[in-house]
Amino acid sequence: MTLPVPPLPTPRAPVVQGIDINNALVIDHANKYQLLLANISQNITQQNATIIANPFNTAPLCLYLGFYWPAAAETATITVGDKAGANIPLTFTQPLTPGANLVPVAGLIPGVINVITLETSFATTQYEYTTGALPPTDADSPTGFQKFPVISLDKPIADPASLAPGLYFTTHFNRYNLAIDYQAVVRWYTTQEIPSYNMLRLPDGHFISGAQNFDAYKTLYEFDIMGRVWTVYKLDNELHHSLSLRPNGQLVAGSEYSGLRPDGTHSVEDGVTFIDLATGYETAYYDMNYVMDRNRPTRPSAADATLNDWLHINQCYVNETNQLLVCSSRHQSAVFGVDLATSQLVFIMGNHENWSADYAEYLLTPCDENNIPLTWSADELNEKYWNWGQHNAIEVANSNTGFLDISLFNNGNYRSNDDAKSVESINNQSRIDHFRIDLTAKTVSKLSEIPGDNKGYSSLCGAKEIQANGNIVVHYGGATFDEKGQAITCDPGFSDIIYEGWGETAEGILPLQEISGSGEILLAVTFRSGRPKSLAVDGAGFRYDMTAFRVYKMPLFY
């Protein structure tokens, strides 16, 4: 039996989609920059530089040093620390050009006297600036919600040299984008005028992000570390989850038909869009309704059946070596690949149960790390091997044609299609898995697995990033607990089986760790909302307290 040939990936006709060339915020930020630059006269030198703090009112731990540079272009070295010497100094470089300069400085420390040291060929100059406190947390109000997280350092690093370089960048749903250092001190954040959810950094150091509270994922902001908004993209359909970038500059993102589909039906989060960031226009759309098994039961599932959220693509990227579009489907607990040119299905990685016969040839055979097929029972494979409700399917470099390596945040929802055999959230754990797929042999090998503990069980969200030194930064972005300290689930009966012993409250308590390649925890930090939520105070969605969808380790400036 063979699957029907899917339609070729083609762009949908734009309605409002494209760059918002008249966006008031973009115009305002551009005008502010030009006005600030115009005010730098030859009398303002390195010695009496103008400090312009939070110039766009969107990044409070940033400032410009404004001064006139009378010499040839060169590179300046900048160090940011505090007057008391209690915090980690951050050092970076910035270019100077002849004439007026606005030198970007980021990494300020909140609530203290900061000392900024600028070294050039002319002199070494220090400037002082006192920053304000961080924004309020949920704990600061009886009904506080979607405010700044409470951050604690649980395990300090014994040897900072063992860590990968950079700051820990994360983004919490409809809250804040932020970065902390290895002492868990906030060194950068954007205000809530900037979307926080699926933040991606671009090769030029800018960021791009959308969010649910910005036109229901139909607006993307491109902004820089200083909080300046450069571009706003208007979208016809939601970009509801991950963003990734191809080498040719195309943005790859999960999409859908946010109204009715062309055939008059409705479904969500079941397509992938390619967007040209130079224009904002869609260049291709992959409609997975014609690719995957629409009749297969979901596991986990959406609590609202009217959404018809049967696939729930939460990550997608292009494997350039094999010219495959790789997608993570949370509600099918599967990662699948389609041919980039034709949309035809190539493989499915996930448990083998409940697929129609047409899909049998695409299911990968599970193998050990030596690519030898396992003889485990289906129940053993479900509990110990397969991905369930996974997020953050990211490519691990492998340039060998016919193979691809994938790193997963394996949430582990249920770990069975049978409620009687499923793992309760109070006993579950999320894991970091590294799989290798052999496209010719149609096999998948689990090369490594790093289990979390129950403190990190995330019934939704979660992310990790492999560092150049082999370390892994992981954020258990959906870890939520009741007043008894028990791990709970976001949608009982849909994201996990119901446990009758859960308490009455829910608080997001999200571990962030840097671990070695073998799984040793080197550094541990906790982000929490600060106020447990309840049905009585916060309504039916109280279990969705605080979540994190992305984590990176990277420098302030590229």
Side-chain angles (χ1 to χ4, degrees), residues 9-314:
T10 55
R12 298 167 288 186
V15 181
V16 302
Q17 182 144 341
I19 293 174
D20 184 359
I21 60 174
N22 297 312
N23 185 268
L25 187 62
V26 173
I27 294 170
D28 177 63
H29 284 194
N31 289 340
K32 278 183 178 178
Y33 184 88
Q34 291 303 322
L35 180 61
L36 292 172
L37 190 64
N39 287 335
I40 304 301
S41 68
Q42 294 187 36
N43 297 325
I44 303 174
T45 67
Q46 178 178 340
Q47 284 69 34
N48 65 341
T50 300
I51 294 177
I52 307 162
N54 190 13
F56 306 103
N57 298 313
T58 51
L61 299 181
C62 298
L63 58 81
Y64 284 131
L65 291 176
F67 61 92
Y68 191 91
W69 183 246
E74 69 171 74
T75 299
T77 300
I78 300 169
T79 300
V80 178
D82 64 301
K83 193 169 185 178
N87 290 276
I88 302 164
L90 300 179
T91 300
F92 48 89
T93 60
Q94 294 288 15
L96 299 179
T97 57
N101 283 261
L102 294 174
V103 181
V105 175
L108 300 177
I109 302 154
V112 300
I113 301 173
N114 285 258
V115 177
I116 301 105
T117 303
L118 173 67
E119 298 177 56
T120 71
S121 60
F122 278 15
T124 296
T125 311
Q126 289 192 330
Y127 316 89
E128 291 186 359
Y129 177 73
T130 301
T131 49
L134 294 172
T137 71
D138 288 11
D140 294 322
S141 167
T143 57
F145 184 54
Q146 292 185 345
K147 297 184 182 297
F148 208 81
V150 178
I151 306 170
S152 60
L153 179 62
D154 302 324
K155 182 179 179 180
I157 182 63
D159 177 15
S162 66
L163 298 175
L167 298 178
Y168 303 94
F169 284 73
T170 186
T171 175
H172 297 102
F173 179 79
N174 284 356
R175 290 176 181 258
Y176 292 85
N177 305 303
L178 61 90
I180 62 171
D181 62 26
Y182 64 73
Q183 291 182 337
V185 175
V186 177
R187 305 300 291 265
W188 175 81
Y189 70 93
T190 57
T191 63
Q192 292 187 325
E193 284 69 43
I194 302 288
S196 61
Y197 175 52
N198 53 6
M199 181 177 72
L200 173 72
R201 201 160 198 182
L202 303 174
D204 63 0
H206 288 192
F207 301 89
I208 191 166
S209 183
Q212 189 274 335
N213 58 349
F214 282 72
D215 194 23
Y217 306 110
K218 291 182 183 178
T219 300
L220 282 178
Y221 278 41
E222 178 197 350
F223 58 97
D224 64 19
I225 199 81
M226 302 297 292
R228 176 180 171 179
V229 178
W230 288 79
T231 311
V232 170
Y233 298 89
K234 303 300 291 182
L235 307 167
D236 291 330
N237 298 283
E238 293 184 13
L239 265 61
H240 45 74
H241 278 93
S242 74
L243 308 175
S244 63
L245 199 68
R246 297 189 67 190
N248 65 7
Q250 285 183 326
L251 188 73
V252 181
S255 186
E256 61 180 31
Y257 284 95
S258 293
L260 293 178
R261 293 175 46 77
D263 62 4
T265 62
H266 175 69
S267 59
V268 299
E269 303 187 4
D270 51 5
V272 175
T273 181
F274 287 13
I275 295 174
D276 179 359
L277 290 180
T279 64
Y281 294 135
E282 185 173 78
T283 61
Y285 182 67
Y286 294 78
D287 190 345
M288 300 307 175
N289 277 266
Y290 297 102
V291 177
M292 293 293 281
D293 188 352
R294 282 292 308 267
N295 297 314
R296 186 174 185 253
T298 54
R299 189 80 163 182
S301 307
D304 183 355
T306 64
L307 294 174
N308 199 6
D309 191 2
W310 65 281
L311 195 60
H312 199 97
I313 296 173
N314 58 23

Side-chain angles (χ1 to χ4, degrees), residues 270-441:
D270 51 5
V272 175
T273 181
F274 287 13
I275 295 174
D276 179 359
L277 290 180
T279 64
Y281 294 135
E282 185 173 78
T283 61
Y285 182 67
Y286 294 78
D287 190 345
M288 300 307 175
N289 277 266
Y290 297 102
V291 177
M292 293 293 281
D293 188 352
R294 282 292 308 267
N295 297 314
R296 186 174 185 253
T298 54
R299 189 80 163 182
S301 307
D304 183 355
T306 64
L307 294 174
N308 199 6
D309 191 2
W310 65 281
L311 195 60
H312 199 97
I313 296 173
N314 58 23
Q315 181 78 43
C316 46
Y317 70 89
V318 173
N319 173 258
E320 301 287 350
T321 300
N322 297 288
Q323 290 293 284
L324 295 176
L325 173 59
V326 180
C327 303
S328 164
S329 164
R330 170 170 166 81
H331 286 173
Q332 295 296 323
S333 287
V335 176
F336 63 96
V338 303
D339 184 274
L340 196 60
T342 66
S343 295
Q344 290 184 301
L345 185 63
V346 175
F347 72 84
I348 298 172
M349 184 179 81
N351 76 83
H352 289 195
E353 298 168 353
N354 301 323
W355 297 93
S356 69
D358 290 348
Y359 290 85
E361 65 181 281
Y362 302 98
L363 298 172
L364 299 177
T365 300
C367 298
D368 65 14
E369 64 273 17
N370 297 311
N371 208 28
I372 297 174
L374 296 170
T375 58
W376 299 357
S377 68
D379 289 345
E380 288 178 299
L381 289 168
N382 286 339
E383 182 181 356
K384 300 175 183 179
Y385 191 91
W386 287 125
N387 39 288
W388 291 89
Q390 73 289 323
H391 284 76
N392 203 219
I394 300 294
E395 180 162 270
V396 180
N398 186 340
S399 59
N400 295 314
T401 303
F403 295 87
L404 64 154
D405 283 26
I406 300 175
S407 172
L408 289 182
F409 184 88
N410 190 349
N411 294 72
N413 305 71
Y414 291 103
R415 291 205 254 169
S416 175
N417 287 302
D418 183 344
D419 280 357
K421 298 176 181 178
S422 293
V423 180
E424 295 174 324
S425 65
I426 61 168
N427 298 315
N428 210 343
Q429 59 183 208
S430 298
R431 299 163 284 172
I432 302 169
D433 287 337
H434 180 176
F435 291 99
R436 175 168 294 160
I437 294 172
D438 183 332
L439 296 170
T440 303

